[in-house]
Amino acid sequence: MRLSAYFLPVLKETPSEAQIVSHRLMLRAGMIRQASAGIYSWLPMGLRVLRKIEAIVREEQDRVGAQELLMPTVQSAELWRQSGRYDAYGPEMLRIRDRHEREMLYGPTNEEQITEIFRDLAKSYRDVPRMLYHIQWKFRDEVRPRFGVMRGREFLMKDAYSFDLTPEAARVSYYKMFVAYLRTFARMGLKAIPMQAETGPIGGDLSHEFIILAETGESRVFCHKAFLEKDPLAQEPDYEADLEPVFKDWTSHYAATEDVHDPAKAAELGDDLITARGIEVGQVFYFGTKYSKPMNATVAGPDGQPILLEMGSYGVGVSRLAGAIIEACHDDAGIIWPESVAPFKVGLVNLKSGDADTDAMCEKLYGELAAAGVEALYDDRDERAGSKFATMDLLGLPYQLVVGPKGLKDGVVEIKARATGARDTLSPEAAIARLTA
Ligand code: P5A
């Protein structure tokens, strides 16, 4: 993409309405635009990141055997009356009437909808177990939408649902999702700690929130410092095997959100206790028959007798993650994207647009990167070098490939790694080899 032609409204000034750094940087880097309170448009740069996050979520869901479908955003009130949640959900639910005065709602979550689908379409015990997920917009009329996409009213969620015949089997599904979440967040460069959590309006008696430690986080959390050293990617789990040991390993140390915090237990940790604030990027729930029972969702067992389905649900805050990653990965100059979610891998900086040799070399490198499938943003604008560097640092692409007339005289270009600031001077061929490796 050529910057001269890109729809990228970079802001020079710090927007005054943004209270936290990720919100400021998302606005300054031209990623999002507020439409109304807690509702955002995703501009081209922001959408690229959102799609990268989605792709990682999708891969890890597929890996544990979850299957993607797509349910609608608008649901009928009738459906929610079947579970008893229509009245219980409260003012966070956006309630709508259609032209026939039928009561509808914009879905804040999809437990009812998936339960109805599974109840009506899965017939026997042979259709179970299944894990189904979608990545779909949600609406929650939050009292205090804030921090940009971190607490929005309209937001993108990956929500998965598991169906099993027994509580023991449902736990196996829970462990699978738990492991998928550890890997999902780690692949985004995040240290997400699974913490015991309250189940709230979703229900059930077993739940974990996946929390990133950050001062700007909305929840208070408590955990053992051992979590800071653990790496979910150190070993590829065997998905055919029993994942309970992985779950047990990750839940053997104390970690709890404020709502379920046990001060006496935490005190036993002594100096090993971390008290911090955190951002919730995902939450998993096991709630058994909470929905299947009132909605009469059963399958026929081997003896023909109906078996009530055992269920769990599993959410990832896809749009929130864009902000959360920036909270975890930035410096004073701007964003520092982990390569896995970066909107482009390389920012190609032409230090002297209009200079024939420099332009020609940039065109050549840009073409070679494209041919190798490396996403590059080419700053071909007629701007001062200083301002181009500042823009690239703000945008936070992992590598800057800098080309200027001085270097070219000596046959060299420069690669700067955004994360470390390390610079390397090398031949254009070597630079391409490095960036396409
Ligand atoms: C699990 C999947 C659920 O809704 N039902 C389906 C369950 N869980 S949850 O914890 O309430 O939400 C899942 C994740 O969505 C993100 N999230 C939000 N992101 C941005 N703005 C919001 N207002 C918002 N509310 C929830 C969180 O990351 C949460 O973990």
Side-chain angles (χ1 to χ4, degrees), residues 153-403:
R153 293 198 296 165
E154 190 184 51
F155 60 97
L156 191 59
M157 191 199 288
K158 184 286 299 179
D159 38 325
Y161 304 87
S162 62
F163 296 90
D164 284 282
L165 296 176
T166 64
E168 297 71 40
R171 281 187 180 260
V172 171
S173 298
Y174 190 90
Y175 302 148
K176 281 191 182 162
M177 277 292 165
F178 188 95
V179 171
Y181 277 34
L182 290 173
R183 290 181 55 83
T184 299
F185 300 125
R187 283 185 61 191
M188 296 171 192
L190 296 173
K191 217 165 237 332
I193 303 173
M195 303 197 180
Q196 283 179 43
E198 197 167 70
T199 55
I202 307 293
D205 51 17
L206 173 63
S207 180
H208 289 87
E209 284 184 15
F210 287 75
I211 299 275
I212 293 166
L213 303 185
E215 271 164 37
T216 48
E218 292 188 287
S219 9
R220 276 184 75 71
V221 296
F222 307 84
C223 70
H224 195 290
K225 70 177 188 200
F227 282 105
L228 301 180
E229 306 299 326
K230 286 173 92 77
D231 176 13
L233 299 180
Q235 213 181 333
E236 171 103 358
D238 174 1
Y239 291 107
E240 301 304 316
D242 181 8
L243 291 173
E244 186 172 4
V246 186
F247 172 79
K248 283 213 162 131
D249 173 50
W250 278 86
T251 50
S252 60
H253 289 299
Y254 185 79
T257 59
E258 190 164 35
D259 299 328
V260 298
H261 177 51
D262 177 348
K265 235 181 176 175
E268 290 169 18
L269 273 60
D271 286 349
D272 290 342
L273 178 71
I274 297 177
T275 302
R277 302 193 72 82
I279 301 168
E280 176 202 332
V281 288
Q283 186 167 5
V284 291
F285 303 82
Y286 164 61
F287 44 69
T289 58
K290 168 168 176 182
Y291 300 90
S292 56
K293 201 168 191 181
M295 295 181 69
N296 197 25
T298 62
V299 289
D303 56 0
Q305 292 299 309
I307 302 172
L308 216 45
L309 289 161
E310 282 282 326
M311 292 176 59
S313 74
Y314 315 86
V316 169
V318 173
S319 49
R320 173 178 289 182
L321 272 165
I325 293 168
I326 297 175
E327 285 297 319
C329 312
H330 69 272
D331 63 14
D332 288 345
I335 304 168
I336 305 175
W337 288 116
E339 210 169 309
S340 59
V341 294
F344 298 90
K345 180 174 173 180
V346 179
L348 174 58
V349 182
N350 182 332
L351 289 181
K352 200 157 190 201
S353 297
D355 174 75
D357 290 345
T358 311
D359 288 352
M361 179 54 78
C362 284
E363 289 297 332
K364 181 166 176 284
L365 295 171
Y366 184 52
E368 287 172 1
L369 288 171
V374 173
E375 294 167 308
L377 180 64
Y378 173 24
D379 191 349
D380 58 340
R381 299 167 308 156
D382 185 14
E383 289 269 343
R384 286 181 308 108
S387 130
K388 288 192 174 187
F389 287 136
T391 300
M392 276 303 169
D393 280 352
L394 169 67
L395 299 178
L397 310 182
Y399 301 98
Q400 297 171 15
L401 176 54
V402 183
V403 182

